Amino acid sequence: MLKLIIADDERMIRESISNIIDWNSLGIELIGSCGDGIEAYNMILDESPDIVLTDIRMPGISGLELVERISQTDMDIQFILLSGFGEFEYAKQAMKYRVHHYLLKPSNEEQIIESIRDVIKEYYHRRAFKDLQNRQKALTFHLHHSVLANIINEGIFMDDSAQPAWDVYSGFMDFCYTSYELCYLHYLEEPLLVSALGLIYEYMSKSAPGIAVYSLYVKNTLILFFESHQVSYEDLDTFMYRLSIEQQPVQLNYHRSTYPNLIQLIEAMTSKIKRYGMIYFMNGLKPVPICNYKNLIEKIEQLTTILMNTDIENRESGYEELENTLHDISNPDFLKQAGSRIIIKLTAGNRYGSSVEATEYLMTLNQQTDPAIIRNMLMEKISKTMADSTETSYSPFIEKVIQYVENNLDNPSLTLKWIAENYLYMNVDYVSARFMKETRQKFSNYLTTQRIQKAKQLLLEGSTEQIQCVAEKVGCGNNPQYFSQIFKKHTGMSPSAYIKQINGGD
């Protein structure tokens, strides 16, 4: 139930509102009533209500001042303002703080209940949207973490004269135009790593919420890097200089540098850590080892290139050799790292699939712990990817249909009949029969599949748009309910459940 506080300096009004309405039937728990603004402010801090119904003019702190003070905190509270004054200026000030519910005294039971119901509806809508945003942020972090793990692997295992294939990864995150901070914390002993990292994560979540922090650990050194977000890092530097871990035998040594982009940061960082045999890329507080199996990585890279760029006969021999190579790897973490590299390279640029499919697959792969299961999953995925990559030749007018669908997915009125008659100037029955023969599916099924794939891509990219906006972009018009229905029918889950699953259930 949602928690409600009533604040009004007139006792009769407080008691009338408290007693005249059946709050339980509305899903509301009335947790208190206050006679002035100061009492209401203190109760809000103590009880963290979801809704506050308050008079505008009260002694101590007015209702508007109460709203202003709470707006400066991280509390997400819905306000309903109650006043005997009808001047527009009050409503104008209230709207400045995103208060949209404003009732004039005397208000009857129906008016108050209507406002409460509107607030409840808005509350759950905002909470659902916030949950979706958080899941999308977490999904983006997991995807970026996987991409960075591959790049760091490349930087470690490559010769000094070689460069990672930045263009392969550019579709997943920005490497060129965003500046980053790189921090080193020396002399941190491994048993104290989790404690130190926990304190740093806690500090960053408060001082820089929403900024993803990536971390590595190698030879008693904790390395952190994150997107630049401040003009001054004096507070961060002070925190790091003063960081003290119980049982740490020596003083920690801290250093921070700014890099104009992620490419330069990674190149500088990997040049320093590549000489070590064991490097840990932290996944939260869990250290994930990057084993310096240079020869194996080079061989896997070569075989992946063979799968991508050679004829069918050589692909088959390359596939067999890759299977034998993976069979010799018993470390599950290294197997998953190798598999992630292969899948990302095969799907880069949508050549052998899409980033949506790659992310769905990698999330499932990363949950496995048995090396045999990981190997089987990898080889099945690679085999299917290779089979799907075989180029299919369509008739020129069928290619035009496919291209037209791709360019007009947001059109809710898109039909094969319209395309045939108004774009191709051909008989719709003939086009339909040829489309079915060449693509081996009906046009309606193809159209729905493309719309669902586009929707997945929008959700995967961490878009903060509402479901309604996604629905419009994939041709479901102003009807998010219809979009959710076809999405669930096609995938077996709602859009929000899909995001949750891709996010590992978080």
Side-chain angles (χ1 to χ4, degrees):
M1 299 179 73
L2 301 186
K3 297 187 293 184
L4 168 71
I5 287 176
I6 297 174
D8 198 301
D9 59 332
E10 297 185 45
R11 182 175 60 85
M12 289 186 61
I13 292 179
R14 291 198 310 273
E15 294 180 353
S16 296
I17 296 176
S18 300
N19 298 324
I20 197 173
I21 296 174
D22 182 2
W23 297 107
N24 287 333
S25 67
L26 296 173
I28 298 291
E29 177 188 1
L30 179 59
I31 60 174
S33 59
C34 309
D36 59 57
I38 295 177
E39 184 183 355
Y41 179 72
N42 291 332
M43 185 176 289
I44 289 172
L45 296 182
D46 292 335
E47 302 295 337
S48 298
D50 302 298
I51 306 171
V52 174
L53 176 62
T54 179
D55 188 15
I56 281 187
R57 288 195 170 183
M58 293 185 294
I61 299 176
S62 72
L64 286 177
E65 290 173 322
L66 184 64
V67 172
E68 181 180 6
R69 289 195 178 192
I70 297 302
S71 69
Q72 296 169 356
T73 71
D74 60 353
M75 305 178 76
D76 185 16
I77 297 176
Q78 300 275 55
F79 281 89
I80 301 175
L81 297 183
L82 191 64
S83 176
F85 301 87
E87 291 90 344
F88 174 73
E89 189 61 30
Y90 285 103
K92 182 179 178 181
Q93 292 182 50
M95 287 186 288
K96 185 173 68 173
Y97 299 108
R98 299 182 180 179
V99 177
H100 307 298
H101 303 280
Y102 184 86
L103 295 174
L104 295 179
K105 294 179 180 179
S107 298
N108 58 38
E109 178 182 356
E110 289 76 16
Q111 291 172 322
I112 296 174
I113 290 175
E114 182 180 357
S115 290
I116 289 290
R117 284 175 173 163
D118 287 343
V119 167
I120 292 173
K121 182 179 179 180
E122 184 176 343
Y123 171 87
Y124 283 115
H125 176 78
R126 286 168 60 177
R127 191 173 76 174
F129 185 49
K130 187 175 181 179
D131 288 345
L132 180 59
Q133 285 182 307
N134 291 336
R135 290 168 186 164
Q136 290 171 334
K137 287 178 181 178
L139 171 61
T140 301
F141 175 81
H142 287 308
L143 178 60
H144 289 177
H145 188 279
S146 181
V147 170
L148 288 169
N150 285 316
I151 293 174
I152 292 169
N153 268 286
E154 285 189 8
I156 291 170
F157 304 134
M158 282 181 172
D159 294 332
D160 292 337
S161 60
Q163 295 290 331
W166 297 109
D167 56 330
V168 171
Y169 300 104
S170 61
F172 294 93
M173 60 190 301
D174 173 30
F175 293 95
C176 300
Y177 304 107
T178 302
S179 61
Y180 273 76
E181 306 299 316
L182 177 63
C183 305
Y184 290 93
L185 199 63
H186 300 288
Y187 310 128
L188 177 64
E189 296 191 353
E190 187 171 343
L192 306 177
L193 171 62
V194 172
S195 298
L197 203 50
L199 293 174
I200 294 170
Y201 285 162
E202 182 180 2
Y203 172 84
M204 290 296 292
S205 68
K206 293 179 180 178
S207 64
I211 297 295
V213 179
Y214 304 98
S215 54
L216 295 92
Y217 182 77
V218 56
K219 198 66 175 179
N220 290 344
T221 298
L222 176 61
I223 305 169
L224 307 157
F225 63 98
F226 50 87
E227 184 178 322
S228 300
H229 58 281
Q230 295 181 6
V231 175
S232 171
Y233 290 91
E234 183 178 348
D235 291 342
L236 169 66
D237 293 341
T238 300
F239 169 81
M240 297 294 282
Y241 280 125
R242 295 178 178 176
L243 186 63
S244 177
I245 311 298
E246 190 175 346
Q247 299 179 344
Q248 171 69 22
V250 297
Q251 178 66 37
L252 299 175
N253 181 272
Y254 167 72
H255 173 71
R256 178 181 56 81
S257 300
T258 301
Y259 288 83
N261 56 53
L262 197 50
I263 291 178
Q264 293 188 29
L265 182 149
I266 291 175
E267 289 177 343
M269 180 179 66
T270 53
S271 68
K272 294 182 179 181
I273 65 176
K274 66 189 303 180
R275 65 182 182 272
Y276 298 104
M278 184 61 72
I279 301 158
Y280 297 95
F281 189 23
M282 305 299 295
N283 186 1
L285 296 176
K286 179 184 177 183
V288 179
I290 300 175
C291 306
N292 203 341
Y293 301 143
K294 183 175 181 179
N295 292 334
L296 276 177
I297 287 294
E298 289 178 348
K299 189 172 185 179
I300 289 171
E301 289 289 322
Q302 293 170 358
L303 294 173
T304 304
T305 301
I306 289 174
L307 296 181
M308 294 172 63
N309 299 325
T310 56
D311 55 41
I312 294 177
E313 184 177 348
N314 286 332
R315 284 187 190 180
E316 291 177 353
S317 62
Y319 176 87
E320 292 178 5
E321 190 173 354
L322 179 61
E323 185 174 25
N324 293 332
T325 301
L326 294 179
H327 187 270
D328 293 334
I329 302 174
S330 59
N331 184 297
D333 291 315
F334 182 68
L335 261 177
K336 286 185 281 190
Q337 289 173 14
S340 177
R341 293 167 64 83
I342 296 168
I343 300 304
I344 287 178
K345 288 199 73 171
L346 290 178
T347 57
N350 295 329
R351 183 174 181 182
Y352 297 98
S354 69
S355 58
V356 173
E357 295 169 344
T359 301
E360 290 177 345
Y361 173 79
L362 291 176
M363 291 300 177
T364 303
L365 182 72
N366 287 333
Q367 295 173 3
Q368 309 303 319
T369 57
D370 187 326
I373 294 176
I374 296 170
R375 277 192 293 269
N376 290 336
M377 287 181 61
L378 280 172
M379 298 316 299
E380 287 177 5
K381 178 64 175 177
I382 294 168
S383 177
K384 183 179 184 302
T385 302
M386 292 297 96
D388 293 344
S389 70
T390 303
E391 294 187 4
T392 303
S393 178
Y394 297 127
S395 302
F397 72 91
I398 296 298
E399 289 280 5
K400 288 185 177 181
V401 172
I402 291 172
Q403 188 62 48
Y404 191 88
V405 169
E406 181 179 340
N407 295 337
N408 295 273
L409 272 178
D410 59 344
N411 180 2
S413 303
L414 191 61
T415 64
L416 185 61
K417 178 179 174 62
W418 193 96
I419 296 173
E421 295 179 352
N422 297 275
Y423 181 62
L424 300 176
Y425 304 103
M426 297 175 66
N427 179 272
V428 64
D429 293 332
Y430 174 72
V431 174
S432 178
R434 286 295 299 272
F435 188 92
M436 179 71 177
K437 181 178 180 181
E438 295 189 24
T439 66
R440 299 181 182 178
Q441 60 181 318
K442 293 182 178 179
F443 176 80
S444 59
N445 182 70
Y446 174 80
L447 178 60
T448 300
T449 300
Q450 296 305 305
R451 283 175 167 162
I452 297 301
Q453 192 72 2
K454 177 66 174 179
K456 285 183 177 181
Q457 187 68 45
L458 290 171
L459 297 173
L460 176 65
E461 289 171 353
S463 170
T464 57
E465 298 167 332
Q466 300 180 39
I467 295 299
Q468 179 175 341
C469 297
V470 177
E472 290 176 353
K473 287 188 175 183
V474 298
C476 293
N478 188 20
N479 193 339
Q481 184 177 2
Y482 168 67
F483 164 68
S484 296
Q485 287 174 348
I486 65 169
F487 191 95
K488 186 172 184 179
K489 183 176 181 180
H490 193 275
T491 65
M493 63 190 78
S494 65
S496 58
Y498 171 78
I499 287 292
K500 185 174 181 180
Q501 184 191 66
I502 291 296
N503 190 29
D506 296 335

